[in-house]
Amino acid sequence: MAVAIFLAVGVAFSGWVAFGGDGDTRYRAAPLPGLDESPSPTSAPDVPSPDDLPTPGPETDGPSSAPTDVPTDLPGLPSPSATPFGTPSSPALTGGDPPAGYSTQSDPAGFHLAVPDGWLRTVEGPSVFYTSPDDSTMIQIFELHGPEATPYESAREAERLASRHRGYEQVTLAPLGTAAMDPVQLEYTYDSTSDGHRRIMDRRFAAPSGTMYAVLVIGPSGDRASEQEIHRAALDTFCPTASCIAP
C-alpha cells in the first residue's frame, strides 16, 4: 500500500503530494518519497532519512486563504487545451447528485463529495482518505495552507517535489483556465517498491471563500479510465459544507 511522508517542518503544505512505500497500510500527505522508497539518482542531496521526518501535519505559517491582490491572469501559463478530461472550468462547488454506484459523504472535515460505495474513510494528519475495499485505490482531500498564492503555484511546487521520486513521469500539468485562481490539473506516475507503477491525479482549486483544496486519486497506473471516473465524480460533487446546496 502506498504511503507518503512529510519532508521537513518548513515545507509548505500546499505542495504536498502522495507517494508509496513499503510496510504500511496508510497514505500520508507529504511532499517527498515514502518510507523505504529510494529517490531517483537525481534527487537533491541531504534529504532526511525516514526516521528523521516529522509526523505529517498542517502548516501554521502559511495563509489560510488566497490573498485578494493576486493578478487576474498569469502570463506564460501553459495552454489549458491540454486538459486530461472535461471542460476547462471551475468546479461548481455547490454539490451535485452522485452517479450510480457512488454515495455523497458529508465529511466531518467540512466538505461533501461523492465516493464509490463501500469505500472506507480514514484520516492521516490534515488529509482525509477514502480507500477502496482492496486498498488499491484511494481519494485524498486536504486544504492548502502554504505560501503558494494560487492553485497553479501550488501544483508547480507539488510537481517539483514529485519529480524527485523514482520512476517519476509527468502526464500533465495544466491550468484549467487563464485566470490566476482557476483550477489546475496535475497528473503523473511513479514507481512504488511495494505497489508497482502508480498514478496520481491531483486537482487544485479555490473555493469562493478563498480556501484552496487539493482532491487526488491515487491508484495503479494501468487503471487510468477508472481513476478518471472516480476523480470526476469527486470533483463534480465536491463542495465546502457552507457552499453546498444539493441534498
Side-chain angles (χ1 to χ4, degrees):
M1 181 63 192
V3 296
I5 54 174
F6 195 49
L7 172 62
V9 173
V11 177
F13 179 49
S14 62
W16 285 16
V17 291
F19 284 104
D22 295 331
D24 201 339
T25 58
R26 294 289 183 266
Y27 281 71
R28 297 185 181 91
L32 286 174
L35 295 173
D36 301 325
E37 294 277 356
S38 299
S40 64
T42 58
S43 296
D46 301 325
V47 174
S49 68
D51 292 338
D52 298 329
L53 296 172
T55 301
E59 292 295 312
T60 57
D61 297 333
S64 59
S65 61
T68 58
D69 59 348
V70 296
T72 57
D73 57 72
L74 293 178
L77 291 180
S79 169
S81 62
T83 54
F85 56 84
T87 302
S89 61
S90 299
L93 296 176
T94 54
D97 294 331
Y102 291 71
S103 58
T104 298
Q105 303 295 315
S106 299
D107 197 275
F111 55 82
H112 294 191
L113 83 168
V115 303
D117 292 338
W119 284 34
L120 176 67
R121 179 186 187 271
T122 57
V123 176
E124 291 282 349
S127 286
V128 174
F129 300 91
Y130 287 91
T131 308
S132 63
D134 64 359
D135 285 338
S136 68
T137 308
M138 67 171 22
I139 301 167
Q140 177 183 7
I141 311 101
F142 55 92
E143 294 183 13
L144 306 175
H145 292 290
E148 293 81 17
T150 68
Y152 182 74
E153 291 173 4
S154 176
R156 281 289 301 270
E157 175 64 6
E159 192 276 337
R160 183 185 71 81
L161 296 166
S163 67
R164 301 175 65 179
H165 203 64
R166 183 180 56 254
Y168 172 85
E169 183 176 354
Q170 183 191 112
V171 177
T172 188
L173 173 58
L176 306 185
T178 58
M181 298 307 293
D182 279 344
V184 175
Q185 181 78 8
L186 171 63
E187 180 181 345
Y188 57 91
T189 59
Y190 74 99
D191 293 324
S192 165
T193 302
S194 59
D195 297 304
H197 206 45
R198 304 288 286 174
R199 182 180 305 276
I200 307 289
M201 294 183 175
D202 182 345
R203 179 75 61 87
R204 298 182 180 227
F205 55 90
S209 65
T211 300
M212 295 193 295
Y213 293 87
V215 176
L216 292 75
V217 171
I218 304 114
S221 64
D223 291 344
R224 188 172 190 264
S226 174
E227 288 149 12
Q228 279 186 326
E229 177 186 309
I230 294 166
H231 205 200
R232 184 182 296 110
L235 293 167
D236 286 349
T237 58
F238 182 91
C239 58
T241 299
S243 304
C244 294
I245 60 174

